[in-house]
Amino acid sequence: MHKWWDVRVRGQLLPMDRRPEQLGVWCLAHGLGSAQEVNWHQSMLRTWSTACLLEPETFTAWCNSHLRKAGTQIENIEEDFRDGLKLMLLLEVISGERLAKPERGKMRVHKISNVNKALDFITGKGVKLVSIGAEEIVDGNAKMTLGMIWTIILRFAIQDISVEETSAKEGLLLWCQRKTAPYKNVNIQNFHISWKDGLGFCALIHRHRPELIDYGKLRKDDPMTNLNTAFDVAEKYLDIPKMLDAEDIISTLRPDEKAVMTYVSCYYHAFSGKQKAETAANRICKVLAVNQENEQLMEDYEKLATDLLEWIRRTIPWLENRLPENTMQAMQQKLEDFRDYRRLHKPPKVQEKCQLEINFNTLQTKLRLSNRPAFMPSEGKMVSDINNAWGNLEGAEKGYEEWLLNEIRRLERLDHLAEKFRQKAAIHEAWTAGKEDMLQKHDFETASLSEIKALLKKHEAFESDLAAHQDRVEQIAAIAQELNELDYYDSPSVNARCQRICDQWDALGALTQKRSEALQRTEKLLETIDQLYLEFAKRAAPFNNWMEGAMEDLQDTFIVHTIEEIQGLSTAHEQFKATLPEADKERQAILGIHNEIAKIVQTYHVNMAGTNPYTTINPQEINAKWDKVRQLVPQRDQALIEEHARQQNNERLRRQFANQANVIGPWIQNKMEEIGRISIEMHGTLEDQLTHLRQYEKSIVNYKPKIDQLEGDHQLIQEALIFDNKHTNYTMEHIRVGWEQLLTTIARTINEIENQVLTRDAKGISQEQLNEYRASFNHFDRDHSGTLGAEEFKACLISLGFDIANDAQKRSGIMDAEDFKTCLISVGYNLGENEFSRIMSIVDPNRMGIVTFQAFIDFMSRETADTDTADQVMASFKVLAGDKNYILADELRRELPPDQAEYCMARMAPYTGPDAVPGALDYMSFSTALYGESDL
């Protein structure tokens, strides 16, 4: 007669009164199986022993919690499973699979057949059932029945639990610890005494359904209330039956571990579905947030690029306008407008251009890190297009400034020539006034011989004077010609006046020739000449011309640009003043001749009708012109002194500008070199380098007042019309370009470090790895060019200690396509032309023939990194949709934040599959579109 706990192996009854270890030795001694089989028997005996220690009510409640889903339950676990029908039904409910059709007969053979179908199903799930046969279950063997139920619990309720690569008991314990960590007085370390106060059960319920329990009112010293509260709430709201008794748990020093674990596993399965939905929603939120941020960056780039290109389009025609102005004032106003453009309008656009490049680089980096396709701006709005437009702007700007300065110089020259023309023309017109009338007189017809001779001599003197004025007429014509060649705006009036002077000069020449011939015909009749008058005329005429020339020179305007030039004029003026005493002696001599004539007339009572017949010059005119010359000399002195002072001030402005420029220029060059060194040196983490660079940028920005001060000095120089400076090789244009390049370089360097931080954080590259890469690169970059040749790059990889047979490593700097191919082959890549072309299309999408350090890191990280893919996002949507091929708007609103739910609905196409319902949305094509065609 076998007991209900009897167990047989190979027909041999096992001595169940022994411990499992002793039983294993006994089996080996009696030849009842191998050591592996004996170990399995020992494990199953421990399981059955544990199952026998559990209350049958616990197993009954667990079974009923699943059988209720099928509309039935059991009352006695030993009796109700004997026919195998409810046992098969239980397995179908907990596995979700259909078993073979059961036998409906009441005979023992029918019952054994049903139980065998159930046991075969359990065995088919990878569970070994040793010594459990259908006969024992049909006979109502309690120990075998409880052992079988516990085996089912282990397989279907606990074995599939997995948390962070742990499974079964460890995974379930880790899940409990994670969920109860925020709650005070709860410390889950095991499945027995950690649950005695009931707070652990209440914490699990409150964590997932906080509306069911007011956790703040629970007390650790009232375990009975805590346990009953948890058991009642779990049974009422979570459909978890009462498998444990509060009094038994409290009264037992160490509650049964398997019973508690069975009950807790029901909590895990009740809440695991919600956890999956949360995980799926979080993944979708993450992907959508990245996509929304990238779209906003794209819109910002497009708007900034459009505005900048529009400003360039409007500005270039203004700079290309070369229509000259007629006055110096108008051209100086154009120069002032250009200075306002350089000082006020262009600097903000320089910053916008730099920010545009930074935004573009940051956007491309984020797209690469999130496994999205590269951003391609609208046609004509690429960074290269903007750089080309900017280059056209600067070309027009440079030509415009040169044109302005040339036009100012031209107008200055024209004003000087026009004034000179007017002065000479006025002097000549004053001299020619009345000359035609004089030459047309016929006074010689009634004159005496002496008068005729006098008229002849007078005419000779006039011819001499006429010849002396020939140079002035030629000068007037030459000045008019130059004004025409320089496109003087008032050229018509100048030409008309010059023509009148030339016509009058030709007429004077013809009249002079005609009168000379008439006098020569009469000369034979008249031979008397007044020698003194003749001598007076001969000496007075050159002296008069000299005084007129002196007055003209003293009143002549001058243009100088240097101290040396004004000193030359001052020296020439001093030399002129030194000739005045000799000129005064000549004046006294000429006046002496006139006095001698008067003395002769008075002495000899000569009847002299009229004035000197040989000249119109009289002593009063000579004295008046002499007084005018004496008056003009101090005025000329004062003008030279004032001009000398102005040139000294200009020299001071030159030196003031040069002193600052000779400091600022080298400072900018040194800063550029320091930034270059910082970009290749390693001092601390990337965050430390970024902080250092931003402080460095702040110190550079703080230097801006000195640039502004230099701009002010440059404006003073331009207002003073100073065009050269021998004290410095730096121009304001050099300083501006250097300053703009310095600001752009520091901004780009900061942006490169920020992108390295993004890459490091996204790809999991440690700071030590980055430092090692940079140190190795700097070591082999012996010429400090920022690039490595193929052999240098290969040596760099080897120095890093990488397994070159499996993984191409990262480096900094730039290498061309052939160097990159050699590098990949040297580190173990077997590349054909097609494979190499594919890799080059990834690391060099713009086909520039170079590979940057950033692109190399992105490529190698992408080969190993675990990033979100279209398949993962599609699987997450499928979880939210409840395994349907489509998703509804209400499901999106329930699981996602409002803004991201609306974002999805706006972009999802209607679902058109055979199982479509009204309002169904196609999440599969939407997931694919998030990653572009390449991810397919």
Side-chain angles (χ1 to χ4, degrees):
M1 182 69 179
H2 298 306
K3 305 295 183 181
W4 67 273
W5 55 82
D6 289 346
V7 178
R8 292 180 177 273
V9 176
R10 297 184 180 178
Q12 182 69 41
L13 181 66
L14 300 182
M16 298 302 296
D17 57 321
R18 298 173 184 254
R19 293 198 304 273
E21 294 79 5
Q22 295 173 337
L23 184 61
V25 176
W26 185 88
C27 289
L28 290 173
H30 289 76
L32 297 180
S34 64
Q36 183 176 4
E37 290 176 331
V38 171
N39 289 337
W40 172 252
H41 297 327
Q42 291 176 350
S43 174
M44 292 306 299
L45 287 173
R46 292 189 186 96
T47 300
W48 293 334
S49 299
T50 300
C52 293
L53 294 175
L54 296 175
E55 293 292 335
E57 291 77 12
T58 300
F59 283 173
T60 301
W62 184 85
C63 293
N64 285 335
S65 68
H66 294 285
L67 288 173
R68 277 199 301 271
K69 299 176 183 178
T72 185
Q73 63 179 13
I74 61 175
E75 299 294 334
N76 189 316
I77 197 170
E78 295 90 356
E79 295 294 326
D80 292 350
F81 285 141
R82 293 179 63 185
D83 60 359
L85 294 176
K86 290 187 177 181
L87 179 60
M88 295 178 67
L89 184 60
L90 175 64
L91 291 174
E92 288 182 347
V93 171
I94 62 177
S95 68
E97 299 179 17
R98 297 288 297 177
L99 274 69
K101 184 177 180 180
E103 301 288 343
R104 295 298 180 180
K106 300 297 183 179
M107 299 177 62
R108 177 179 175 83
V109 64
H110 296 146
K111 296 179 181 180
I112 292 175
S113 175
N114 289 337
V115 174
N116 276 329
K117 291 178 180 179
L119 295 180
D120 292 340
F121 178 82
I122 296 173
T123 304
K125 294 299 180 181
V127 179
K128 293 183 179 180
L129 297 175
V130 179
S131 299
I132 298 180
E135 292 80 5
E136 284 83 357
I137 304 303
V138 172
D139 294 338
N141 188 323
K143 183 174 183 179
M144 291 299 178
T145 301
L146 292 176
M148 178 190 65
I149 297 301
W150 176 243
T151 301
I152 293 173
I153 292 173
L154 287 177
R155 172 59 183 84
F156 293 100
I158 298 176
Q159 180 177 327
D160 292 337
I161 296 175
S162 178
V163 179
E164 291 190 0
E165 299 182 358
T166 62
S167 60
K169 177 181 178 181
E170 291 79 10
L172 183 61
L173 182 62
L174 179 58
W175 178 80
C176 295
Q177 291 171 341
R178 289 280 181 84
K179 296 299 181 180
T180 60
Y183 294 86
K184 63 180 181 178
N185 297 327
V186 178
N187 184 17
I188 304 301
Q189 298 297 329
N190 49 56
F191 285 107
H192 37 81
I193 61 175
S194 294
W195 303 87
K196 288 191 65 175
D197 57 8
L199 291 177
F201 297 108
C202 293
L204 287 176
I205 296 173
H206 185 267
R207 178 64 182 270
H208 296 89
R209 297 287 299 276
E211 74 277 8
L212 298 181
I213 293 179
D214 188 355
Y215 188 85
K217 294 182 179 180
L218 302 177
R219 294 184 294 108
K220 188 175 181 65
D221 57 356
D222 189 8
M224 182 64 71
T225 300
N226 299 340
L227 290 167
N228 285 327
T229 299
F231 295 162
D232 292 340
V233 169
E235 184 177 39
K236 182 176 180 181
Y237 296 101
L238 304 179
D239 198 26
I240 299 176
K242 290 184 180 180
M243 300 181 186
L244 304 176
D245 183 80
E247 292 182 358
D248 291 342
I249 292 176
I250 295 172
S251 61
T252 303
L253 181 63
R254 178 187 172 98
D256 183 79
E257 183 178 39
K258 304 300 182 180
V260 174
M261 187 163 62
T262 300
Y263 186 65
V264 172
S265 69
C266 295
Y267 281 68
Y268 173 86
H269 289 291
F271 296 131
S272 62
K274 183 176 181 181
Q275 179 67 26
K276 292 180 180 178
E278 290 178 357
T279 302
N282 289 337
R283 179 181 292 275
I284 293 175
C285 289
K286 173 185 174 183
V287 172
L288 295 180
V290 170
N291 219 57
Q292 288 173 318
E293 181 183 2
N294 291 340
E295 287 184 357
Q296 185 61 44
L297 288 175
M298 294 176 188
E299 293 176 1
D300 293 344
Y301 175 89
E302 290 285 337
K303 182 178 184 306
L304 189 59
T306 300
D307 294 343
L308 184 58
L309 289 173
E310 178 61 21
W311 177 82
I312 293 174
R313 185 190 64 79
R314 295 195 310 268
T315 305
I316 288 179
W318 173 67
L319 293 174
E320 290 177 345
N321 181 16
R322 300 294 190 271
L323 186 63
E325 299 292 341
N326 294 330
T327 64
M328 177 71 76
Q329 182 179 3
M331 288 305 298
Q332 287 178 340
Q333 181 60 45
K334 279 195 171 185
L335 182 62
E336 183 64 27
D337 293 342
F338 181 73
R339 282 200 290 263
D340 289 341
Y341 157 78
R342 294 296 297 271
R343 184 175 59 254
L344 301 177
H345 303 301
K346 184 182 178 184
K349 298 303 178 182
V350 173
Q351 294 296 326
E352 290 180 10
K353 177 177 176 292
C354 178
Q355 188 62 42
L356 188 72
E357 295 178 1
I358 291 174
N359 291 351
F360 182 83
N361 293 334
T362 301
L363 174 59
Q364 297 293 41
T365 299
K366 289 185 176 181
L367 289 173
R368 287 195 303 270
L369 296 179
S370 60
N371 203 19
R372 296 326 193 257
F375 169 58
M376 291 296 295
S378 302
E379 184 177 358
K381 297 179 183 178
M382 294 287 291
V383 173
S384 59
D385 297 327
I386 294 173
N387 287 334
N388 291 336
W390 191 264
N392 295 335
L393 174 72
E394 292 186 334
E397 176 183 317
K398 181 178 179 182
Y400 187 74
E401 184 177 22
E402 293 175 353
W403 175 78
L404 282 175
L405 295 177
N406 290 334
E407 278 299 305
I408 289 175
R409 294 189 187 99
R410 185 182 69 83
L411 289 177
E412 184 182 27
R413 173 68 176 165
L414 286 175
D415 288 345
H416 170 67
L417 290 175
E419 181 62 24
K420 191 172 184 179
F421 174 84
R422 286 190 289 270
Q423 289 183 3
K424 290 185 177 294
I427 294 173
H428 176 77
E429 289 168 347
W431 178 83
T432 59
K435 294 296 189 295
E436 291 184 8
D437 294 337
M438 181 197 72
L439 293 173
Q440 291 176 351
K441 287 181 179 181
H442 295 275
D443 52 343
F444 54 89
E445 294 178 350
T446 58
S448 61
L449 180 59
S450 60
E451 291 174 343
I452 291 298
K453 288 187 178 292
L455 288 175
L456 186 58
K457 297 299 182 185
K458 180 180 179 180
H459 188 70
E460 291 175 357
F462 174 76
E463 287 180 333
S464 177
D465 197 11
L466 186 66
H469 280 79
Q470 178 68 32
D471 292 338
R472 182 177 288 113
V473 174
E474 292 175 356
Q475 290 176 4
I476 291 172
I479 293 173
Q481 179 65 25
E482 189 172 358
L483 287 172
N484 280 277
E485 291 174 355
L486 294 177
D487 197 22
Y488 182 55
Y489 77 98
D490 199 19
S491 294
S493 63
V494 171
N495 293 336
R497 191 173 186 181
C498 181
Q499 188 62 44
R500 289 196 300 271
I501 291 173
C502 291
D503 293 342
Q504 187 184 36
W505 183 257
D506 294 337
L508 286 176
L511 291 174
T512 300
Q513 181 66 27
K514 182 178 179 180
R515 185 174 177 83
S516 177
E517 292 173 354
L519 289 173
Q520 289 175 3
R521 286 192 303 266
T522 312
E523 184 182 13
K524 295 178 180 180
L525 301 174
L526 303 173
E527 295 180 354
T528 303
I529 183 172
D530 192 337
Q531 194 66 33
L532 291 174
Y533 270 135
L534 182 60
E535 184 179 0
F536 176 88
K538 289 182 177 181
R539 297 187 66 174
F543 185 75
N544 182 66
N545 288 334
W546 176 84
M547 286 192 297
E548 287 179 351
M551 287 188 294
E552 182 178 345
D553 292 338
L554 290 173
Q555 296 178 84
D556 190 18
T557 58
F558 54 84
I559 298 176
V560 295
H561 298 94
T562 64
I563 290 290
E564 292 76 12
E565 292 177 359
I566 191 61
Q567 288 175 348
L569 290 178
S570 298
T571 301
H573 184 62
E574 291 300 322
Q575 292 174 354
F576 168 76
K577 290 195 294 183
T579 64
L580 291 179
E582 289 296 327
D584 189 53
K585 290 180 182 181
E586 178 66 11
R587 182 182 67 86
Q588 293 294 339
I590 293 172
L591 293 178
I593 295 174
H594 178 75
N595 292 335
E596 185 177 356
I597 292 173
K599 183 178 179 180
I600 293 173
V601 170
Q602 183 179 4
T603 302
Y604 296 101
H605 305 285
V606 176
N607 185 13
M608 297 297 299
T611 59
N612 191 326
Y614 305 114
T615 181
T616 60
I617 300 172
N618 55 57
Q620 293 78 14
E621 185 178 353
I622 291 175
N623 287 331
K625 291 182 177 180
W626 177 256
D627 293 338
K628 181 65 175 178
V629 170
R630 296 293 299 272
Q631 181 182 356
L632 291 174
V633 168
Q635 294 178 4
R636 185 72 168 185
D637 289 336
Q638 183 62 31
L640 291 172
I641 291 173
E642 291 175 356
E643 182 62 25
H644 190 272
R646 189 175 77 86
Q647 290 302 322
Q648 285 182 328
N649 183 63
N650 289 352
E651 185 67 11
R652 179 185 61 80
L653 292 177
R654 289 188 183 95
R655 292 182 180 276
Q656 179 175 322
F657 177 87
N659 291 338
Q660 295 188 72
N662 289 336
V663 173
I664 293 176
W667 181 87
I668 292 177
Q669 183 64 30
N670 291 337
K671 293 301 179 182
M672 291 288 290
E673 295 174 357
E674 290 176 7
I675 293 174
R677 289 195 297 270
I678 290 174
S679 65
I680 63 174
E681 292 176 354
M682 300 176 296
H683 297 290
T685 64
L686 288 177
E687 286 75 12
D688 294 338
Q689 297 176 28
L690 192 59
T691 301
H692 178 60
L693 282 173
R694 285 174 175 162
Q695 293 174 351
Y696 203 82
E697 182 184 34
K698 184 177 180 182
S699 68
I700 291 175
V701 173
N702 291 338
Y703 202 80
K704 184 64 166 58
K706 294 187 178 180
I707 303 297
D708 295 337
Q709 182 180 357
L710 189 63
E711 284 281 6
D713 293 341
H714 179 65
Q715 182 174 352
L716 293 176
I717 285 178
Q718 288 196 329
E719 291 173 351
L721 299 180
I722 300 173
F723 302 107
D724 54 4
N725 193 339
K726 65 181 180 180
H727 303 295
T728 181
N729 294 325
Y730 293 99
T731 65
M732 197 61 228
E733 181 63 22
H734 294 156
I735 299 298
R736 291 192 193 107
V737 172
W739 177 253
E740 293 171 359
Q741 289 179 349
L742 180 60
L743 293 179
T744 302
T745 299
I746 187 64
R748 286 175 176 168
T749 304
I750 290 175
N751 179 248
E752 290 174 0
I753 299 299
E754 291 173 342
N755 287 340
Q756 290 184 25
V757 172
L758 287 175
T759 301
R760 181 199 65 190
D761 296 339
K763 303 301 184 179
I765 300 175
S766 67
Q767 183 64 42
E768 290 76 14
Q769 287 176 305
L770 287 176
N771 290 342
E772 184 180 10
Y773 298 157
R774 177 58 69 185
S776 297
F777 177 83
N778 291 343
H779 174 77
F780 289 97
D781 185 17
R782 296 181 174 85
D783 57 354
H784 304 290
S785 63
T787 61
L788 294 180
E791 292 301 321
E792 293 174 336
F793 180 67
K794 182 177 181 181
C796 178
L797 290 175
I798 296 174
S799 70
L800 291 173
F802 284 71
D803 182 6
I804 63 175
N806 299 314
D807 187 24
Q809 301 300 328
K810 317 167 186 71
R811 71 177 187 94
S812 62
I814 299 176
M815 52 184 163
D816 57 27
E818 290 301 318
D819 287 343
F820 178 62
K821 181 177 181 180
T822 303
C823 172
L824 291 176
I825 296 173
S826 70
V827 296
Y829 273 75
N830 184 14
L831 295 179
E833 290 301 325
N834 293 336
E835 179 63 10
F836 181 69
S837 299
R838 183 191 70 81
I839 295 176
M840 284 302 299
S841 67
I842 296 173
V843 299
D844 184 22
N846 294 327
R847 302 182 182 274
M848 299 179 65
I850 60 174
V851 180
T852 64
F853 173 64
Q854 184 67 40
F856 190 71
I857 287 182
D858 291 343
F859 168 72
M860 297 308 302
S861 300
R862 184 183 300 179
E863 293 296 315
T864 57
D866 182 15
T867 58
D868 295 324
T869 65
D871 291 339
Q872 291 176 324
V873 174
M874 196 181 303
S876 298
F877 273 116
K878 191 168 187 178
V879 171
L880 298 187
D883 288 337
K884 300 190 298 293
N885 292 327
Y886 58 85
I887 193 167
L888 300 176
D890 291 340
E891 293 172 334
L892 289 173
R893 293 190 181 100
R894 183 177 67 248
E895 300 296 344
L896 301 180
D899 60 334
Q900 294 187 343
E902 296 298 330
Y903 177 86
C904 291
M905 290 187 291
R907 287 162 173 77
M908 284 185 180
Y911 178 71
T912 58
D915 54 342
V917 299
L921 299 174
D922 187 359
Y923 62 79
M924 296 183 181
S925 61
F926 173 74
S927 302
T928 301
L930 285 178
Y931 287 85
E933 292 296 329
S934 62
D935 199 61
L936 294 176

